[in-house]
Amino acid sequence: MPIKSFRGKLAGDGTETIPLHTNNGSQGYRIKKLEVVPASFGSDQIGIFTVNTIPFTPVTTVDFSDQTLVGVAIVRNDNSQGGTASDQVIVFDNLTFNQDLYLGFKNIETAIDINYHLELELVKLDLNENTVATLKDIRNITG
């Protein structure tokens, strides 16, 4: 299947929308890769980067029971260890969605910006899959 890539930079405590919706909802997506790296180094840094299917305000907690959460990355840069950056990425790659994605980043310590790279697999949805994905999105928005 074809892959669609997105990359960008989020300010600390920032959000961004990736427009994916179509008029008929027959194009679905699955996250194949999520990578993050701090935009600058030099101080101890930690933050949480999240990918959701509805608009949200970035927070310092992660709840895997949240049905709108499709990916999360913990970003850590330890200046005392010579500026080593590390991250932990978790992607729910079995989830198919056909609406916009919302990215958010929340600083926990020093205010930093974050670079991201997101790869989505394009999936053609039949009428039943389209209906299920759309109903999940509606349920998540109203729930």
Side-chain angles (χ1 to χ4, degrees), residues 81-141:
Q81 299 295 318
T84 42
S86 65
D87 60 17
Q88 180 177 3
V89 177
I90 299 171
V91 172
F92 302 110
D93 59 358
N94 63 335
L95 297 176
T96 302
F97 45 89
N98 64 353
Q99 299 296 317
D100 299 344
L101 281 183
Y102 300 89
L103 313 177
F105 180 64
K106 180 67 174 175
N107 287 307
I108 295 176
E109 288 185 7
T110 307
I112 60 170
D113 296 344
I114 192 78
N115 292 301
Y116 68 87
H117 174 241
L118 181 66
E119 287 186 1
L120 302 176
E121 177 185 19
L122 281 72
V123 180
K124 186 72 173 164
L125 301 178
D126 65 24
L127 183 57
N128 289 335
E129 293 169 323
N130 176 354
T131 303
V132 168
T134 303
L135 288 174
K136 281 183 180 178
D137 288 330
I138 291 170
R139 184 188 72 204
N140 288 333
I141 290 171

Side-chain angles (χ1 to χ4, degrees), residues 52-72:
N52 290 62
T53 57
I54 63 170
F56 69 102
T57 301
V59 294
T60 59
T61 58
V62 176
D63 181 3
F64 282 2
S65 66
D66 179 357
Q67 296 299 307
T68 67
L69 181 69
V70 293
V72 63

